[in-house]
Amino acid sequence: MTAQDALKAALRDRLGPVARSHGYRGSAPTWRKSSTAGDWAVVNAESSSFSSAKQVRCVVNLAFAPEPWLRWQAENLGAGMPKSVPESLGLYRERLHPEGTPEGTDGWWDVFDDESARVAVADMSVQLDRAGWPVLEGMFSPDAMMARLRDGDLGMMKRAHQGIFFARAEALLLMDAGPSDALESQLDYALSNVIPAQRENAERFDAWVRAEAAKA
């Protein structure tokens, strides 16, 4: 049995049932959960492209995509929009690491055989219980998602370095309530601070959000 086979079996037999107990569907290495509103949470166990039959390096990716965010992605990507929501399309994206990984370090689990696969997946479950399942579940609440956004924390994305991104994200979460001062403020910030090379796309986003708000 290769390291890849061992990891796949451990994910299927040990993490899969846990994911299903939290309401997620799918099979290793990706599980998804949706709300009636069309929001999606994604948990993905990613294997490094540098892995071999003898060793697999893996990490757990988390993502959350509110429906308005996905609606814009569908508009923006057109025919390129995936049928199933991938982790890469999350508004919120985060990565879980092995126990003991130093802060700011991108640590990965190493799998060589059945035993190391079981150990790795057991630790993945611990990290998911601590900072995975409950964090994603909380974001199904629109108020909690907005609070996280306004706190400037979207996992790997922080407002301090991505002000325009956060302004656009907040505009998307506000638009279905119709035109408002809050929406206007976010759209104005996003359009006023965009670099010239991205002006055309920014104007397209602005017009689309205003049109959606007008429908509300």
Side-chain angles (χ1 to χ4, degrees):
M1 179 180 285
T2 66
Q4 286 96 333
D5 290 337
L7 176 61
K8 183 177 180 180
L11 289 171
R12 179 193 66 219
D13 298 339
R14 296 172 180 271
L15 193 55
V18 176
R20 287 189 288 277
S21 74
H22 286 278
Y24 286 71
R25 296 181 178 181
S27 58
T30 303
W31 296 269
R32 297 177 177 86
K33 181 176 181 177
S34 64
S35 70
T36 55
D39 307 320
W40 284 86
V42 183
V43 173
N44 164 258
E46 176 188 354
S47 295
S48 169
S49 58
F50 296 103
S51 299
S52 68
K54 294 183 178 180
Q55 179 183 7
V56 175
R57 302 186 71 238
C58 51
V59 72
V60 173
N61 297 311
L62 310 176
F64 190 84
E67 188 279 331
W69 167 260
L70 289 174
R71 204 187 319 157
W72 163 246
Q73 294 301 318
E75 170 69 18
N76 192 41
L77 296 174
M81 182 70 176
K83 292 183 179 180
S84 297
V85 178
E87 173 270 334
S88 60
L89 273 191
L91 173 59
Y92 169 91
R93 297 177 68 194
E94 187 57 284
R95 177 168 282 180
L96 301 182
H97 307 286
E99 183 71 29
T101 299
E103 186 73 23
T105 302
D106 190 25
W108 292 52
W109 284 274
D110 288 303
V111 172
F112 307 95
D113 51 24
D114 283 345
E115 177 59 26
S116 57
R118 287 192 292 269
V119 171
V121 173
D123 189 32
M124 290 178 192
S125 293
V126 170
Q127 306 312 318
L128 281 162
D129 284 342
R130 178 183 302 160
W133 310 121
V135 172
L136 293 175
E137 190 64 29
M139 284 185 276
F140 280 107
S141 161
D143 289 343
M145 184 71 239
M146 181 63 84
R148 174 176 287 276
L149 186 60
R150 288 175 172 168
D151 285 343
D153 181 8
L154 288 174
M156 291 184 281
M157 299 281 283
K158 307 297 183 186
R159 185 188 294 274
H161 309 292
Q162 301 286 344
I164 293 176
F165 180 89
F166 274 76
R168 289 178 177 172
E170 186 166 338
L172 288 169
L173 298 192
L174 288 168
M175 68 183 181
D176 288 338
S180 66
D181 290 343
L183 176 60
E184 189 64 33
S185 175
Q186 298 306 317
L187 290 175
D188 180 66
Y189 179 91
L191 200 55
S192 298
N193 290 279
V194 72
I195 62 174
Q198 296 178 0
R199 182 77 186 185
E200 183 177 348
N201 286 335
E203 289 177 346
R204 187 164 69 89
F205 173 84
D206 185 271
W208 183 84
V209 171
R210 291 181 186 279
E212 291 294 296
K215 297 176 186 177

